[in-house]
Each structure stands twice: as structure tokens, then as C-alpha cells.
Amino acid sequence: MKFFVENSRMARLINAYPWHNSSLGTIEVWPPELHNAVSTMLESRIPMYVAWGEEFIQFYNDAYVPILGAKGDDEIGKSTRETWPEIWPVIGPMFRKVLREGESFGFPGFNLFLERGSYTEETYFDFSYSPIRKIDRTIGGVFLSCLETTDRVLHERRMEMLANTLPVAFDSTAAGDFLKESHLQLSHNPKDLPYSLFIEYNIEKEAFSCLSKFGLSNSDPQIKGFLSAEGVHIIRNLSEEGVFESQKILKNGVQFDLKPWQEDPTFCYIIPYSYNHFKCRNYVLLGLSSRTSCNELYIQFFRLCGRYLQHQYEHWQMRKQEEKQLQAIQELSTKKDEFISVASHELKTPLTSAKAFLQIVARSTASMPQIEKFVSGALKQLDRLQKLTTDLLDISKINAGKLDYKITELNFADLLQEAVSNFQSTVTTHQIEVEQNQDAVIEGDSQRLEQVLNNLLSNAVKYSPQATKVVVSSSLIQNYLVVAVRDFGVGIPQDRIHLLFERFYRIEETAMHFQGMGLGLFIVSEILNRHKGRFWIESEQGKGSTFYFMLPVKGLQTVTQEVDAEDHYSNLHISISINKEKKFLYVNWLGFQNNESVRQGCLKMLDMLKKTGLTKVLNDNRSVLGTWSDAAEWVGKEWFPMMEAAGLKHFAWIYSNSTFSQLSAHKSVDILQGKVVTRLFNDGNEGEDWLLKV
């Protein structure tokens, strides 16, 4: 008699099983609860399992059979503990608790190690154990429904490892460690990747080398210490990726250092890559777990690991080539600087002598106007040539780090007045007006600072041929002496201002009309940097330019009043407040900023953002003066990612009126790391409106 509808293989097996030889007896005498449980189980499309009585006699449906693996499908009628001895210490106590106390159990992603094939397999299941109650409320057995999630759990674990793989920064001083450090990023998941070799084959030299490795050790760290003769032959002739036995590829005696399981890894996956432009072939050898099969998802993981390593390899090769090119350029630059230095030195002596002879001739021809005119012209040209020679010599010294400074304590007002007087004596076309001359004691090299003033005044006169004056002023702002040299000349296009400090740079529109080599501002910038000062320009094309520089004042202490309340913070450089109604942080930067003030203010913004949980910032730079370029890179690369981690999503940046402050803002945004949405505005209301809409 067929007690169960034979619409599945397991139904037929259960009907045909010799139950009269078991402790359950024939099917006719089974309790109705067991009949119902087995019938429900057989009709289900998901894996189900019934264990009946104290012996836990087992039944299961067709969907459960794959879970048995190599155990086969003839386990019907046996005890659970007989079929699953390897996991009975784990599941046995739960089975007994369900049977004796009626307690249900359910676990997602439960890890079990099953003997379903020729190896112990790492598996995961979502399962539920519940009691099968008889009509008298006693418990007759255990009903189990389960779903194997091994592929999903392992895939998620592998993808998480790849997601947490951090890119390694290339350091030219430790270029040899770059690939090793990159490769080690894959070693944090030894359950799925117990060992790996990254092999390079040099086509020209016909030689293998081990670029990097992990999980393997041997007395010989070279590649010949890891690959067997057969392994070398296999890899040399390998054209397609595939699975290979570890014992064929690796040499006897190689030790496995990362062993999450008792068994050694028995297989590996090898992926070949070819690089004709690098004249080499690469092989990524990846060890397989000893407790899982090599299915398509596992192969996908290996391919992603290989792509990561190849990307790092390409980056490594390109950076090495760049280093070679930079080294060659540096050698050429050094030779050029040496030539300029020697040429400048050699030119100084004959120029000085020629000038002396011409000065003697000028004195002896004072009564001969025609000759005096030519001599005077020659002297002017010699002065120009001497200045160019001096600039070239300074450039070579700057590049070699040998520009001398004699630092003393001095009153800048005296230095400024003397420099202007000396320059005025050489110029008849313009009046140099000192609008304000602030007394201030600084530490610096008087000759070099006078050189700065001479270069700026010379530029102002040169590029304002239609004007008749140049205005100079100095004032104290915060802890700095700020000097301004203003002309009323041709001005500078806004998109060219940032290029003026480059050596030999001259604006195309003016280069043909004005003499010079474009060295003066570069030298000025270098001298001011050595004095811990800064330099910036404000200009409007057709209306003139103002060249500013600032120097720290000795002994000047500005009183900084700090306010640090729950919803507000302020000091000399910044004011931060929480706009609760509009749900953003309002930040107003004040006056001159430097690396220290920018970092301090930014970190205070970070602290307040964390405390408030806000996601928007209105960053107002309208009161910022000068430049803060020394902190711009830190803001873009380091601070913005910290703000993003604290919850920042939208950042409205209001421009300063200072061109160089705008350039610093652009630099930070251009190199911004992360996903913070940042927009720049000229108008504060527009920035606020944007924040309220997003």
C-alpha cells in the first residue's frame, strides 16, 4: 500500500522502506502526527527534515538530498546521530532540548562543517528546529526546515575583504615594498585565500622572479625556492587560467604559514597576464581553501584579486618609469643650473670691468653731448645685463639650496624708506609714494628684503608705462606686517595670476612689450618663504595690480579671546555657530589664515559637526584676506574625508574677495577626496538657498 503520494523520489523510497524492521514498525501503525509531518515535508520544495523519537529516526525530502552530498540519499530510517556524527556535538543538545522541553531554535547563517565529499566542508545554513506535538501535547519528534546559504555567506565574506582592501601609497624611497604591501592587503582572509604568489617572468632574460607573496615560507626566498620543476614548466607554458594541484606547482618542503584549517591547501588557481610594453608576463597564484569547492563565485573572487594586483603592478611599473624620467630630468636640470651658475660668475667680472670703463669714459666726455648720450645708453644696458646675471645666479643658488641669508633684528620702516629712496634715485618716470610706513621690528636679511622691494617696485614701474606713480604702504594686521606695492598699469588676467611665481613665466600679451626673463617674482617668493612670510597679488586687467607680502613681527602678541559654548565657537580667525532652524553649521573665517589657523578651525568644525549630527555647512570666506595655500592640500585630501565620515553631505563655500584665497579654495575642491557635494558661490544668499533646497 502506498501511504504517501509518490510525486517525488524520496516519497517512493519512504513507501518502499522496510519499516517493519525498525523501531517505528510498519507505516500503518505510525502515529498520525508522524504521518502528517512526513507528508508535509514531502510536499515542500525547500529542504525539510523530520527526526522522530528518542532515536531521532530521520526522514527528508528531495530538496534536502544535496545537503547530504557524498553521504548519499539512503540515510532514510537511520538515526540523525549516525548520519551526522561530525556535527552531532553541536546539533545533538538542540535536538534533545526540542524533544524534551519543546523549545524551538532558529539560526541564520549557522556554520557547520560537513563530511559531504572527500573533505570536510565549510557550510552555512539558515535553519529552524521546532517540536512535533502529539494530540496529548507530548512531543514526538523534531521538525527541521533549512536553507543552505554557504555560497551567499562565503561570497559576502570575500567581497567584504576586497571592499576593505586599502590602496597602498607609492613611496619612491621604498618602491620595492609597494607590491609587497599591496599584496599583503589580500592576506586578511586566510579562510578563502590561504596563500598567494605574485610571479613575474622576464621575457628577455627568460627568468622567473617572485614579486611578492604571503602564506608561504621557505629557506630560499627566491622564486626557485617555491616552484617545483614541474610547476615552472606548467607556468611557463600556461596560456589560460585554471585550477592546479598545489603539490605539482609548489616545491616539497614549502610551509603554509596561514592555516585556518588543519588541512593544507591542496589546490591553487593561477591567472596569467601579458605585458608587451613591460616585456614581461605575470602570474597570480592564489591558494584555494581546503574546505570549499572551486565554483564560479570562487573563481570570480580570484579574478577580482588578480585585477587588483595587476592594477597595483601597472601603477608600480609606471611610477618606476616616472622615477627614471624624473631622475633624468633632474640630472639635466642640475647640469643646467651648474652651467647658469658658472656662466653668471664668469659674466660678472667682465661686466663689472666694462661698466667701470664706461663710467670713466662718461666722466671724460661730459662736455661732449653726443658721445655722452651713447655712453649713458650703454651703461643702462649694462645695468640690465648685471641684474639679469644676478637673478640667474640667485636662481642657481635657490635650486642648490645655497642662497645665503644673514638674519638680524631690524626696523622694517627704516629698510622700506631707504629702499624706496635708493630706487627713486634710479627712476625718473614715476614717483614712488610711501602712503603709510608702519614701525615694526622683524628678523630678516636686510639685503634680501631690499631685493624683494626692488623687484616689486621695478615690476610696478615696468608694467605701468602710462602711469606716473607707484604707491607703497605697510601696516600691522593681526601678528603680521603687511606691505603693499600698487601700480596703475596693464594689470594681470585672472586666469594667469597663479602662474606668475613660476621661473621664466611671462604673460604672453605683455612679453613682447616689456623686457625681462620672468625670474623676479620667483626669487621674491623664495626669499619670503625663507622669512616665514607669504606673497599674493590682487589685479584687474587694464587698471593695475597690487603686490602684497606679509612678514611675522617680532614680539607682537595679539590678544585672542576664545569663546567655546555649546552652540557657538569663535577666536581671532574663525566664528562657528549652529543654525538650528535651517539645520546647518555656519562658519565665518576672519582675516589672514595660515596652516595652523586653518587646521585648528577645521578640526573645531569637525568636532561641532559630530556633536550636532548636522549634514550641511555654509562656509563663508568673504572676510578672508591674502592666501592660505599651505593648508589647501590638507583640507582637500584629509579634512574633507574626516567630515564625510562625521556625516557631512553638502558644503556651500562662499568665495573670498582675495584672488589667492579663491585659488586656495579651488585647489582644495579640485583634489577633494570623498563624496561630499561641494559648490562655490560668490554670493552668500545663493549658497544658503542651495543648502536649504538639497
Side-chain angles (χ1 to χ4, degrees), residues 49 51-58 71 78-100 110 112-115 129 142 144:
Y49 180 99
W52 189 260
E54 291 287 343
E55 296 179 59
F56 300 111
I57 302 300
Q58 64 189 2
K71 293 179 184 294
K78 295 181 181 179
S79 169
T80 304
R81 68 171 64 92
E82 181 183 350
T83 299
W84 298 107
E86 69 272 23
I87 60 172
W88 187 249
V90 177
I91 66 173
M94 290 188 286
F95 270 57
R96 287 190 288 269
K97 205 169 184 65
V98 173
L99 189 66
R100 295 170 185 173
F110 193 76
L112 292 172
F113 293 96
L114 305 182
E115 302 287 348
Y129 293 163
V142 178
L144 180 149

mmCIF file of all heavy atoms in Angstrom, residues 49 51-58 71 78-100 110 112-115 129 142 144:
data_model
loop_
_atom_site.group_PDB
_atom_site.id
_atom_site.type_symbol
_atom_site.label_atom_id
_atom_site.label_comp_id
_atom_site.label_asym_id
_atom_site.label_seq_id
_atom_site.Cartn_x
_atom_site.Cartn_y
_atom_site.Cartn_z
ATOM 1 N N TYR A 49 13.254 18.232 7.043
ATOM 2 C CA TYR A 49 13.829 17.053 7.684
ATOM 3 C C TYR A 49 13.010 16.778 8.939
ATOM 4 O O TYR A 49 12.632 17.702 9.668
ATOM 5 C CB TYR A 49 15.275 17.392 8.034
ATOM 6 C CG TYR A 49 16.091 16.317 8.711
ATOM 7 C CD1 TYR A 49 16.960 15.531 7.980
ATOM 8 C CD2 TYR A 49 16.035 16.137 10.089
ATOM 9 C CE1 TYR A 49 17.759 14.580 8.595
ATOM 10 C CE2 TYR A 49 16.821 15.178 10.719
ATOM 11 C CZ TYR A 49 17.681 14.401 9.966
ATOM 12 O OH TYR A 49 18.478 13.468 10.579
ATOM 13 N N ALA A 51 13.017 14.249 12.445
ATOM 14 C CA ALA A 51 13.696 13.259 13.296
ATOM 15 C C ALA A 51 12.690 12.829 14.373
ATOM 16 O O ALA A 51 12.232 13.665 15.161
ATOM 17 C CB ALA A 51 14.944 13.871 13.927
ATOM 18 N N TRP A 52 12.353 11.514 14.409
ATOM 19 C CA TRP A 52 11.255 11.044 15.271
ATOM 20 C C TRP A 52 11.775 10.193 16.421
ATOM 21 O O TRP A 52 12.642 9.350 16.233
ATOM 22 C CB TRP A 52 10.258 10.241 14.451
ATOM 23 C CG TRP A 52 9.007 9.928 15.220
ATOM 24 C CD1 TRP A 52 8.702 8.761 15.832
ATOM 25 C CD2 TRP A 52 7.922 10.813 15.457
ATOM 26 N NE1 TRP A 52 7.485 8.836 16.447
ATOM 27 C CE2 TRP A 52 6.975 10.113 16.224
ATOM 28 C CE3 TRP A 52 7.649 12.131 15.088
ATOM 29 C CZ2 TRP A 52 5.766 10.672 16.636
ATOM 30 C CZ3 TRP A 52 6.452 12.685 15.491
ATOM 31 C CH2 TRP A 52 5.533 11.974 16.262
ATOM 32 N N GLY A 53 11.222 10.512 17.595
ATOM 33 C CA GLY A 53 11.501 9.698 18.772
ATOM 34 C C GLY A 53 12.873 9.949 19.371
ATOM 35 O O GLY A 53 13.667 10.755 18.888
ATOM 36 N N GLU A 54 13.133 9.215 20.451
ATOM 37 C CA GLU A 54 14.399 9.351 21.168
ATOM 38 C C GLU A 54 15.589 8.931 20.318
ATOM 39 O O GLU A 54 16.723 9.354 20.562
ATOM 40 C CB GLU A 54 14.362 8.524 22.451
ATOM 41 C CG GLU A 54 13.424 9.046 23.521
ATOM 42 C CD GLU A 54 13.956 10.300 24.191
ATOM 43 O OE1 GLU A 54 15.168 10.578 24.067
ATOM 44 O OE2 GLU A 54 13.166 11.026 24.824
ATOM 45 N N GLU A 55 15.347 8.072 19.335
ATOM 46 C CA GLU A 55 16.443 7.642 18.451
ATOM 47 C C GLU A 55 16.671 8.646 17.319
ATOM 48 O O GLU A 55 17.640 8.520 16.576
ATOM 49 C CB GLU A 55 16.123 6.274 17.847
ATOM 50 C CG GLU A 55 16.031 5.148 18.865
ATOM 51 C CD GLU A 55 15.688 3.825 18.189
ATOM 52 O OE1 GLU A 55 16.479 3.405 17.309
ATOM 53 O OE2 GLU A 55 14.647 3.244 18.510
ATOM 54 N N PHE A 56 15.742 9.592 17.170
ATOM 55 C CA PHE A 56 15.825 10.583 16.089
ATOM 56 C C PHE A 56 15.935 9.901 14.722
ATOM 57 O O PHE A 56 16.841 10.163 13.926
ATOM 58 C CB PHE A 56 17.003 11.542 16.313
ATOM 59 C CG PHE A 56 16.924 12.320 17.595
ATOM 60 C CD1 PHE A 56 17.805 12.073 18.635
ATOM 61 C CD2 PHE A 56 15.934 13.272 17.773
ATOM 62 C CE1 PHE A 56 17.724 12.777 19.819
ATOM 63 C CE2 PHE A 56 15.848 13.982 18.965
ATOM 64 C CZ PHE A 56 16.737 13.743 20.001
ATOM 65 N N ILE A 57 14.957 8.998 14.479
ATOM 66 C CA ILE A 57 14.874 8.347 13.167
ATOM 67 C C ILE A 57 14.539 9.421 12.141
ATOM 68 O O ILE A 57 13.603 10.192 12.303
ATOM 69 C CB ILE A 57 13.797 7.250 13.163
ATOM 70 C CG1 ILE A 57 14.096 6.199 14.246
ATOM 71 C CG2 ILE A 57 13.709 6.601 11.784
ATOM 72 C CD1 ILE A 57 15.424 5.509 14.085
ATOM 73 N N GLN A 58 15.292 9.426 11.032
ATOM 74 C CA GLN A 58 15.218 10.576 10.136
ATOM 75 C C GLN A 58 14.480 10.310 8.836
ATOM 76 O O GLN A 58 14.491 9.206 8.288
ATOM 77 C CB GLN A 58 16.622 11.093 9.835
ATOM 78 C CG GLN A 58 17.511 10.113 9.095
ATOM 79 C CD GLN A 58 18.959 10.591 9.008
ATOM 80 O OE1 GLN A 58 19.314 11.629 9.522
ATOM 81 N NE2 GLN A 58 19.789 9.805 8.348
ATOM 82 N N LYS A 71 27.247 11.597 1.221
ATOM 83 C CA LYS A 71 26.652 10.614 2.126
ATOM 84 C C LYS A 71 25.585 9.794 1.402
ATOM 85 O O LYS A 71 25.212 8.702 1.834
ATOM 86 C CB LYS A 71 26.021 11.327 3.327
ATOM 87 C CG LYS A 71 27.032 12.013 4.250
ATOM 88 C CD LYS A 71 26.316 12.723 5.392
ATOM 89 C CE LYS A 71 27.299 13.498 6.266
ATOM 90 N NZ LYS A 71 28.228 12.623 6.988
ATOM 91 N N LYS A 78 17.650 5.918 9.285
ATOM 92 C CA LYS A 78 18.776 5.877 10.215
ATOM 93 C C LYS A 78 18.606 6.958 11.277
ATOM 94 O O LYS A 78 17.809 7.887 11.137
ATOM 95 C CB LYS A 78 20.094 6.098 9.467
ATOM 96 C CG LYS A 78 20.448 4.998 8.487
ATOM 97 C CD LYS A 78 21.786 5.300 7.822
ATOM 98 C CE LYS A 78 22.148 4.220 6.806
ATOM 99 N NZ LYS A 78 23.434 4.502 6.125
ATOM 100 N N SER A 79 19.417 6.872 12.321
ATOM 101 C CA SER A 79 19.405 7.900 13.351
ATOM 102 C C SER A 79 20.203 9.116 12.882
ATOM 103 O O SER A 79 21.200 8.990 12.169
ATOM 104 C CB SER A 79 20.022 7.364 14.640
ATOM 105 O OG SER A 79 20.242 8.403 15.576
ATOM 106 N N THR A 80 19.748 10.278 13.308
ATOM 107 C CA THR A 80 20.453 11.508 12.949
ATOM 108 C C THR A 80 21.898 11.464 13.417
ATOM 109 O O THR A 80 22.815 11.877 12.698
ATOM 110 C CB THR A 80 19.751 12.728 13.570
ATOM 111 O OG1 THR A 80 18.390 12.740 13.150
ATOM 112 C CG2 THR A 80 20.418 14.027 13.140
ATOM 113 N N ARG A 81 22.090 10.961 14.632
ATOM 114 C CA ARG A 81 23.463 10.938 15.155
ATOM 115 C C ARG A 81 24.353 9.993 14.363
ATOM 116 O O ARG A 81 25.569 10.179 14.286
ATOM 117 C CB ARG A 81 23.452 10.552 16.644
ATOM 118 C CG ARG A 81 23.031 9.137 16.938
ATOM 119 C CD ARG A 81 23.269 8.789 18.408
ATOM 120 N NE ARG A 81 22.448 9.590 19.287
ATOM 121 C CZ ARG A 81 21.233 9.223 19.713
ATOM 122 N NH1 ARG A 81 20.707 8.069 19.289
ATOM 123 N NH2 ARG A 81 20.546 9.975 20.525
ATOM 124 N N GLU A 82 23.765 8.989 13.718
ATOM 125 C CA GLU A 82 24.547 8.065 12.889
ATOM 126 C C GLU A 82 24.941 8.718 11.567
ATOM 127 O O GLU A 82 26.055 8.522 11.069
ATOM 128 C CB GLU A 82 23.718 6.803 12.619
ATOM 129 C CG GLU A 82 24.443 5.752 11.778
ATOM 130 C CD GLU A 82 23.566 4.548 11.478
ATOM 131 O OE1 GLU A 82 22.477 4.428 12.072
ATOM 132 O OE2 GLU A 82 23.974 3.722 10.627
ATOM 133 N N THR A 83 24.040 9.521 10.977
ATOM 134 C CA THR A 83 24.318 10.169 9.693
ATOM 135 C C THR A 83 25.232 11.374 9.859
ATOM 136 O O THR A 83 26.080 11.655 9.006
ATOM 137 C CB THR A 83 22.999 10.619 9.035
ATOM 138 O OG1 THR A 83 22.200 9.465 8.798
ATOM 139 C CG2 THR A 83 23.265 11.346 7.713
ATOM 140 N N TRP A 84 25.074 12.103 10.966
ATOM 141 C CA TRP A 84 25.828 13.342 11.162
ATOM 142 C C TRP A 84 26.712 13.281 12.420
ATOM 143 O O TRP A 84 26.589 14.129 13.309
ATOM 144 C CB TRP A 84 24.870 14.545 11.282
ATOM 145 C CG TRP A 84 24.035 14.792 10.061
ATOM 146 C CD1 TRP A 84 22.719 14.559 9.918
ATOM 147 C CD2 TRP A 84 24.491 15.328 8.820
ATOM 148 N NE1 TRP A 84 22.292 14.910 8.655
ATOM 149 C CE2 TRP A 84 23.375 15.399 7.958
ATOM 150 C CE3 TRP A 84 25.726 15.756 8.347
ATOM 151 C CZ2 TRP A 84 23.456 15.874 6.657
ATOM 152 C CZ3 TRP A 84 25.802 16.227 7.056
ATOM 153 C CH2 TRP A 84 24.691 16.280 6.225
ATOM 154 N N PRO A 85 27.627 12.328 12.495
ATOM 155 C CA PRO A 85 28.456 12.238 13.714
ATOM 156 C C PRO A 85 29.385 13.446 13.888
ATOM 157 O O PRO A 85 29.705 13.826 15.011
ATOM 158 C CB PRO A 85 29.255 10.945 13.492
ATOM 159 C CG PRO A 85 29.311 10.787 12.003
ATOM 160 C CD PRO A 85 27.981 11.287 11.513
ATOM 161 N N GLU A 86 29.789 14.072 12.741
ATOM 162 C CA GLU A 86 30.755 15.175 12.832
ATOM 163 C C GLU A 86 30.145 16.437 13.428
ATOM 164 O O GLU A 86 30.865 17.293 13.971
ATOM 165 C CB GLU A 86 31.372 15.484 11.456
ATOM 166 C CG GLU A 86 30.435 16.090 10.426
ATOM 167 C CD GLU A 86 29.679 15.052 9.599
ATOM 168 O OE1 GLU A 86 29.529 13.901 10.070
ATOM 169 O OE2 GLU A 86 29.238 15.404 8.487
ATOM 170 N N ILE A 87 28.814 16.592 13.308
ATOM 171 C CA ILE A 87 28.192 17.803 13.866
ATOM 172 C C ILE A 87 27.240 17.484 15.019
ATOM 173 O O ILE A 87 26.604 18.398 15.561
ATOM 174 C CB ILE A 87 27.435 18.591 12.768
ATOM 175 C CG1 ILE A 87 26.326 17.742 12.149
ATOM 176 C CG2 ILE A 87 28.391 19.124 11.720
ATOM 177 C CD1 ILE A 87 25.427 18.541 11.185
ATOM 178 N N TRP A 88 27.133 16.202 15.381
ATOM 179 C CA TRP A 88 26.205 15.842 16.469
ATOM 180 C C TRP A 88 26.538 16.557 17.791
ATOM 181 O O TRP A 88 25.616 16.951 18.527
ATOM 182 C CB TRP A 88 26.175 14.334 16.665
ATOM 183 C CG TRP A 88 25.120 13.921 17.659
ATOM 184 C CD1 TRP A 88 25.297 13.408 18.898
ATOM 185 C CD2 TRP A 88 23.701 14.018 17.466
ATOM 186 N NE1 TRP A 88 24.104 13.171 19.511
ATOM 187 C CE2 TRP A 88 23.090 13.549 18.645
ATOM 188 C CE3 TRP A 88 22.898 14.473 16.428
ATOM 189 C CZ2 TRP A 88 21.710 13.502 18.819
ATOM 190 C CZ3 TRP A 88 21.516 14.425 16.591
ATOM 191 C CH2 TRP A 88 20.942 13.952 17.778
ATOM 192 N N PRO A 89 27.820 16.772 18.124
ATOM 193 C CA PRO A 89 28.103 17.532 19.356
ATOM 194 C C PRO A 89 27.492 18.930 19.358
ATOM 195 O O PRO A 89 27.259 19.500 20.420
ATOM 196 C CB PRO A 89 29.633 17.600 19.378
ATOM 197 C CG PRO A 89 30.071 16.400 18.621
ATOM 198 C CD PRO A 89 29.057 16.251 17.515
ATOM 199 N N VAL A 90 27.252 19.480 18.133
ATOM 200 C CA VAL A 90 26.655 20.816 18.043
ATOM 201 C C VAL A 90 25.133 20.738 18.023
ATOM 202 O O VAL A 90 24.439 21.428 18.783
ATOM 203 C CB VAL A 90 27.149 21.557 16.783
ATOM 204 C CG1 VAL A 90 26.462 22.919 16.653
ATOM 205 C CG2 VAL A 90 28.655 21.719 16.828
ATOM 206 N N ILE A 91 24.580 19.868 17.146
ATOM 207 C CA ILE A 91 23.124 19.844 16.981
ATOM 208 C C ILE A 91 22.436 18.912 17.969
ATOM 209 O O ILE A 91 21.247 19.082 18.249
ATOM 210 C CB ILE A 91 22.747 19.455 15.535
ATOM 211 C CG1 ILE A 91 23.146 18.010 15.222
ATOM 212 C CG2 ILE A 91 23.374 20.425 14.544
ATOM 213 C CD1 ILE A 91 22.643 17.519 13.864
ATOM 214 N N GLY A 92 23.160 17.930 18.506
ATOM 215 C CA GLY A 92 22.557 16.962 19.427
ATOM 216 C C GLY A 92 21.875 17.611 20.620
ATOM 217 O O GLY A 92 20.700 17.308 20.915
ATOM 218 N N PRO A 93 22.555 18.506 21.353
ATOM 219 C CA PRO A 93 21.904 19.151 22.505
ATOM 220 C C PRO A 93 20.636 19.917 22.115
ATOM 221 O O PRO A 93 19.670 19.947 22.881
ATOM 222 C CB PRO A 93 22.985 20.105 23.016
ATOM 223 C CG PRO A 93 24.279 19.493 22.575
ATOM 224 C CD PRO A 93 23.977 18.868 21.252
ATOM 225 N N MET A 94 20.619 20.516 20.904
ATOM 226 C CA MET A 94 19.422 21.249 20.471
ATOM 227 C C MET A 94 18.283 20.275 20.160
ATOM 228 O O MET A 94 17.123 20.522 20.510
ATOM 229 C CB MET A 94 19.759 22.108 19.252
ATOM 230 C CG MET A 94 20.659 23.296 19.567
ATOM 231 S SD MET A 94 20.886 24.436 18.178
ATOM 232 C CE MET A 94 21.981 23.480 17.145
ATOM 233 N N PHE A 95 18.599 19.155 19.504
ATOM 234 C CA PHE A 95 17.575 18.143 19.216
ATOM 235 C C PHE A 95 16.929 17.650 20.511
ATOM 236 O O PHE A 95 15.699 17.532 20.622
ATOM 237 C CB PHE A 95 18.200 16.959 18.459
ATOM 238 C CG PHE A 95 18.180 17.100 16.961
ATOM 239 C CD1 PHE A 95 18.760 18.191 16.346
ATOM 240 C CD2 PHE A 95 17.586 16.137 16.162
ATOM 241 C CE1 PHE A 95 18.757 18.326 14.974
ATOM 242 C CE2 PHE A 95 17.568 16.254 14.789
ATOM 243 C CZ PHE A 95 18.153 17.350 14.185
ATOM 244 N N ARG A 96 17.771 17.343 21.501
ATOM 245 C CA ARG A 96 17.242 16.806 22.763
ATOM 246 C C ARG A 96 16.397 17.846 23.494
ATOM 247 O O ARG A 96 15.373 17.527 24.101
ATOM 248 C CB ARG A 96 18.401 16.339 23.648
ATOM 249 C CG ARG A 96 19.053 15.031 23.153
ATOM 250 C CD ARG A 96 20.010 14.462 24.167
ATOM 251 N NE ARG A 96 21.231 15.255 24.265
ATOM 252 C CZ ARG A 96 22.318 15.022 23.544
ATOM 253 N NH1 ARG A 96 22.326 14.023 22.654
ATOM 254 N NH2 ARG A 96 23.386 15.772 23.679
ATOM 255 N N LYS A 97 16.826 19.129 23.399
ATOM 256 C CA LYS A 97 16.077 20.189 24.078
ATOM 257 C C LYS A 97 14.709 20.396 23.428
ATOM 258 O O LYS A 97 13.708 20.632 24.112
ATOM 259 C CB LYS A 97 16.887 21.491 24.044
ATOM 260 C CG LYS A 97 16.558 22.449 25.169
ATOM 261 C CD LYS A 97 17.578 23.574 25.232
ATOM 262 C CE LYS A 97 17.319 24.495 26.417
ATOM 263 N NZ LYS A 97 17.496 23.840 27.726
ATOM 264 N N VAL A 98 14.658 20.290 22.088
ATOM 265 C CA VAL A 98 13.377 20.388 21.393
ATOM 266 C C VAL A 98 12.470 19.235 21.807
ATOM 267 O O VAL A 98 11.280 19.424 22.101
ATOM 268 C CB VAL A 98 13.590 20.386 19.867
ATOM 269 C CG1 VAL A 98 12.249 20.309 19.136
ATOM 270 C CG2 VAL A 98 14.347 21.630 19.416
ATOM 271 N N LEU A 99 13.022 18.007 21.841
ATOM 272 C CA LEU A 99 12.232 16.816 22.115
ATOM 273 C C LEU A 99 11.747 16.769 23.564
ATOM 274 O O LEU A 99 10.610 16.377 23.842
ATOM 275 C CB LEU A 99 13.060 15.563 21.796
ATOM 276 C CG LEU A 99 12.309 14.223 21.819
ATOM 277 C CD1 LEU A 99 11.264 14.182 20.696
ATOM 278 C CD2 LEU A 99 13.284 13.056 21.661
ATOM 279 N N ARG A 100 12.560 17.174 24.488
ATOM 280 C CA ARG A 100 12.227 17.024 25.905
ATOM 281 C C ARG A 100 11.549 18.254 26.507
ATOM 282 O O ARG A 100 10.754 18.133 27.441
ATOM 283 C CB ARG A 100 13.502 16.699 26.691
ATOM 284 C CG ARG A 100 14.079 15.336 26.297
ATOM 285 C CD ARG A 100 15.455 15.113 26.874
ATOM 286 N NE ARG A 100 16.037 13.850 26.390
ATOM 287 C CZ ARG A 100 17.287 13.464 26.629
ATOM 288 N NH1 ARG A 100 18.100 14.230 27.342
ATOM 289 N NH2 ARG A 100 17.715 12.312 26.146
ATOM 290 N N PHE A 110 24.155 29.780 10.145
ATOM 291 C CA PHE A 110 24.806 28.906 11.129
ATOM 292 C C PHE A 110 25.899 28.086 10.452
ATOM 293 O O PHE A 110 25.684 27.478 9.413
ATOM 294 C CB PHE A 110 23.779 27.986 11.775
ATOM 295 C CG PHE A 110 24.277 27.282 12.999
ATOM 296 C CD1 PHE A 110 24.390 27.948 14.197
ATOM 297 C CD2 PHE A 110 24.644 25.944 12.940
ATOM 298 C CE1 PHE A 110 24.843 27.308 15.337
ATOM 299 C CE2 PHE A 110 25.105 25.292 14.069
ATOM 300 C CZ PHE A 110 25.212 25.978 15.270
ATOM 301 N N LEU A 112 28.414 25.104 9.915
ATOM 302 C CA LEU A 112 28.611 23.677 10.194
ATOM 303 C C LEU A 112 29.703 23.149 9.267
ATOM 304 O O LEU A 112 29.851 23.605 8.131
ATOM 305 C CB LEU A 112 27.323 22.892 9.954
ATOM 306 C CG LEU A 112 26.157 23.153 10.916
ATOM 307 C CD1 LEU A 112 24.910 22.441 10.429
ATOM 308 C CD2 LEU A 112 26.502 22.731 12.335
ATOM 309 N N PHE A 113 30.461 22.181 9.753
ATOM 310 C CA PHE A 113 31.495 21.532 8.942
ATOM 311 C C PHE A 113 31.025 20.120 8.636
ATOM 312 O O PHE A 113 30.969 19.264 9.519
ATOM 313 C CB PHE A 113 32.829 21.531 9.677
ATOM 314 C CG PHE A 113 33.399 22.911 9.857
ATOM 315 C CD1 PHE A 113 33.193 23.608 11.034
ATOM 316 C CD2 PHE A 113 34.103 23.523 8.833
ATOM 317 C CE1 PHE A 113 33.692 24.888 11.192
ATOM 318 C CE2 PHE A 113 34.609 24.800 8.985
ATOM 319 C CZ PHE A 113 34.397 25.485 10.168
ATOM 320 N N LEU A 114 30.652 19.898 7.379
ATOM 321 C CA LEU A 114 30.023 18.653 6.969
ATOM 322 C C LEU A 114 30.978 17.771 6.179
ATOM 323 O O LEU A 114 31.812 18.264 5.421
ATOM 324 C CB LEU A 114 28.786 18.943 6.110
ATOM 325 C CG LEU A 114 27.721 19.856 6.728
ATOM 326 C CD1 LEU A 114 26.548 20.011 5.766
ATOM 327 C CD2 LEU A 114 27.244 19.315 8.063
ATOM 328 N N GLU A 115 30.823 16.452 6.375
ATOM 329 C CA GLU A 115 31.576 15.465 5.588
ATOM 330 C C GLU A 115 30.682 15.010 4.447
ATOM 331 O O GLU A 115 30.075 13.948 4.479
ATOM 332 C CB GLU A 115 31.978 14.279 6.479
ATOM 333 C CG GLU A 115 32.806 14.639 7.681
ATOM 334 C CD GLU A 115 34.231 15.019 7.318
ATOM 335 O OE1 GLU A 115 34.629 14.794 6.167
ATOM 336 O OE2 GLU A 115 34.933 15.553 8.196
ATOM 337 N N TYR A 129 14.513 24.635 14.125
ATOM 338 C CA TYR A 129 14.112 23.384 14.767
ATOM 339 C C TYR A 129 12.853 23.663 15.579
ATOM 340 O O TYR A 129 12.823 24.596 16.388
ATOM 341 C CB TYR A 129 15.185 22.881 15.731
ATOM 342 C CG TYR A 129 16.492 22.439 15.093
ATOM 343 C CD1 TYR A 129 17.642 22.309 15.861
ATOM 344 C CD2 TYR A 129 16.560 22.134 13.745
ATOM 345 C CE1 TYR A 129 18.837 21.899 15.305
ATOM 346 C CE2 TYR A 129 17.759 21.720 13.173
ATOM 347 C CZ TYR A 129 18.894 21.610 13.955
ATOM 348 O OH TYR A 129 20.082 21.209 13.389
ATOM 349 N N VAL A 142 11.249 16.006 16.054
ATOM 350 C CA VAL A 142 11.798 17.319 15.712
ATOM 351 C C VAL A 142 11.536 17.585 14.228
ATOM 352 O O VAL A 142 11.811 16.729 13.383
ATOM 353 C CB VAL A 142 13.309 17.382 15.990
ATOM 354 C CG1 VAL A 142 13.875 18.742 15.581
ATOM 355 C CG2 VAL A 142 13.604 17.095 17.447
ATOM 356 N N LEU A 144 12.490 20.017 11.129
ATOM 357 C CA LEU A 144 13.564 20.929 10.744
ATOM 358 C C LEU A 144 13.310 21.426 9.330
ATOM 359 O O LEU A 144 13.065 20.637 8.421
ATOM 360 C CB LEU A 144 14.911 20.213 10.813
ATOM 361 C CG LEU A 144 16.171 21.019 10.436
ATOM 362 C CD1 LEU A 144 17.363 20.524 11.233
ATOM 363 C CD2 LEU A 144 16.498 20.903 8.946
#
